[in-house]
Amino acid sequence: MKKLSLVVVACMLSITSATAQKRTALSAEVYGYKQDMNYFDCVQTPTIAAEFHNNPGEEHHYNFTTNLSPILIRINGRTEALMKSGDSLYVVVKREDKNVTATYAGTPSAVEANKLRQEIADIRRRLRYKTQLLACVAVGVKPTERIEGAKELLKQAQEAEQKYKGKADQELLDYIKAEQEASAYMSYMEYPVMFASVRKQSIAEQGIGDYWSIMDGITLRDDNAAMSCPEYASFLMRYCFYQNEKKAVKANVQYETPKTLESMFATLKEFYQGKQRDLTLYTLLTNFIRNGKEIERAIPLYEEYKAMNLNKNYLAVLDHLLQ
């Protein structure tokens, strides 16, 4: 009966006029959580969010319209649903002790994309690849091991993606690729520095070769999927500081990583152009405003950003946060 109801919902969503904004639907059944409420939270914007009383077996339905696409919605902070505007997904979430499983139904191209993300998660587990860099440092994972592990995960994720070509939506596949690239590249740049700081082994002694060549040959992306991916935004910001430090080392001058909101804004503004500048400045401002401290410092930078903004959806989120 639940499968039938999903088909009905999907059909209803598809009956729209050519000019009407597509409605998007996320529905879920949640089992095993003992909290009072179940939460849906979109990582792209706080304006897409819902909460429901936790009644095991009850279907939670959330219908909304959005200009943002792709979007990633977290259910109770753990289970993720990757969608495009106009998609309809039905997720059954089951938690047993610390293990959480999910099954997906609905728009076929979105279902296949979420299956790929699950397959990549399985690859991480097989490789014993930790997602948190500090956790790796804590257990003594060597930088050479971490970097090779990141390369292997990226390779296997790309191989897995090929099985979903033509079945999963291409833009959702591009989003997943952006996630994986961002994770791998952050390991290349960040882990040797972190390991040196915590374990007191200099980068030169880590056996990874020339640290300043580790990002050579990397092509930066500015497609819509990557520009919708928070992890890719974080990578772009770190890449900017990496490249500026590399330039300083080559010139044999001391480099100071920007640490204030104002200096980071100026650095990113100078380093990037176009969509990449748009995303990094937007991400910097949203992160600072969400932190909730000294928000007044963001106002003049926000006004400066508005004059160069390209993606009006970014402005809508900033306006909401500043209300």
Side-chain angles (χ1 to χ4, degrees):
M1 182 161 51
K2 288 169 183 171
K3 288 185 178 179
L4 177 60
S5 66
L6 177 62
V7 172
V8 173
V9 170
C11 290
M12 290 175 65
L13 287 170
S14 67
I15 303 174
T16 57
S17 67
T19 57
Q21 189 177 35
K22 293 180 180 179
R23 293 195 66 79
T24 308
L26 176 61
S27 302
E29 294 177 49
V30 181
Y31 301 91
Y33 282 87
K34 297 180 180 179
Q35 60 205 33
D36 293 333
M37 306 293 290
N38 290 316
Y39 299 95
F40 293 1
D41 295 290
C42 179
V43 303
Q44 280 75 25
T45 173
T47 63
I48 299 176
E51 57 184 49
F52 306 89
H53 288 286
N54 185 10
N55 298 312
E58 183 175 310
E59 300 176 1
H60 304 316
H61 301 292
Y62 181 39
N63 296 279
F64 56 95
T65 58
T66 179
N67 292 321
L68 296 168
S69 188
I71 56 171
L72 183 73
I73 299 180
R74 291 195 176 109
I75 302 172
N76 291 338
R78 290 280 301 274
T79 303
E80 297 179 334
L82 180 61
M83 314 170 66
K84 288 185 67 175
S85 176
D87 282 343
S88 176
L89 273 183
Y90 198 106
V91 189
V92 177
V93 182
K94 294 182 179 180
R95 178 174 183 170
E96 296 180 1
D97 296 324
K98 294 183 180 181
N99 296 319
V100 179
T101 60
T103 56
Y104 299 86
T107 303
S109 58
V111 170
E112 293 300 316
N114 284 280
K115 285 181 179 178
L116 171 58
R117 294 183 87 244
Q118 289 181 313
E119 187 168 334
I120 292 172
D122 289 339
I123 294 171
R124 282 199 300 269
R125 283 188 285 270
R126 288 200 302 271
L127 294 176
R128 297 183 179 180
Y129 184 89
K130 297 182 183 295
T131 56
Q132 297 297 322
L133 295 182
L134 273 176
C136 295
V137 175
V139 297
V141 175
K142 300 295 185 184
T144 51
E145 182 182 347
R146 177 64 185 189
I147 291 170
E148 287 306 312
K151 290 178 179 178
E152 181 61 24
L153 176 59
L154 190 58
K155 173 178 171 289
Q156 291 195 29
Q158 290 171 343
E159 291 171 351
E161 178 196 342
Q162 295 304 311
K163 298 184 294 185
Y164 291 85
K165 290 281 189 180
K167 296 189 295 184
D169 180 89
Q170 184 57 51
E171 197 166 49
L172 296 184
L173 290 180
D174 290 341
Y175 185 97
I176 295 168
K177 185 183 296 184
E179 289 181 308
Q180 302 312 310
E181 289 181 357
S183 174
Y185 300 159
M186 286 293 280
S187 287
Y188 298 174
M189 294 182 293
E190 193 68 18
Y191 195 69
V193 176
M194 189 179 295
F195 193 89
S197 175
V198 176
R199 292 284 177 168
K200 308 305 179 185
Q201 183 183 49
S202 70
I203 294 176
E205 298 173 317
Q206 292 174 9
I208 63 171
D210 180 15
Y211 173 70
W212 299 113
S213 298
I214 203 165
M215 294 298 292
D216 288 358
I218 298 299
T219 301
L220 300 184
R221 299 172 54 182
D222 64 359
D223 56 276
N224 182 63
M227 298 299 97
S228 301
C229 180
E231 291 84 1
Y232 202 80
S234 297
F235 152 65
L236 287 176
M237 295 168 74
R238 182 66 181 87
Y239 180 81
C240 165
F241 306 143
Y242 168 89
Q243 290 293 352
N244 282 344
E245 185 176 3
K246 177 180 179 179
K247 186 184 300 184
V249 168
K250 186 175 181 180
N252 199 28
V253 297
Q254 186 67 31
Y255 178 74
E256 287 291 335
T257 301
K259 293 182 174 61
T260 67
L261 170 67
E262 294 79 6
S263 62
M264 292 176 74
F265 187 95
T267 301
L268 293 168
K269 176 185 172 183
E270 180 181 358
F271 187 83
Y272 286 115
Q273 297 293 323
K275 294 179 180 179
Q276 293 165 350
R277 181 175 67 182
D278 202 28
L279 175 64
T280 53
L281 294 181
Y282 159 75
T283 302
L284 176 67
L285 290 172
T286 53
N287 288 347
F288 186 84
I289 294 168
R290 280 178 163 176
N291 188 47
K293 297 179 180 178
E294 300 182 282
I295 293 177
E296 65 278 2
R297 289 172 56 195
I299 303 301
L301 299 178
Y302 168 65
E303 294 299 328
E304 183 179 350
Y305 169 70
K306 282 203 298 187
M308 66 184 86
N309 166 261
L310 298 176
N311 189 330
K312 301 309 176 187
N313 294 318
Y314 296 166
L315 283 185
V317 172
L318 285 168
D319 287 339
H320 174 81
L321 291 173
L322 288 168
Q323 287 176 357

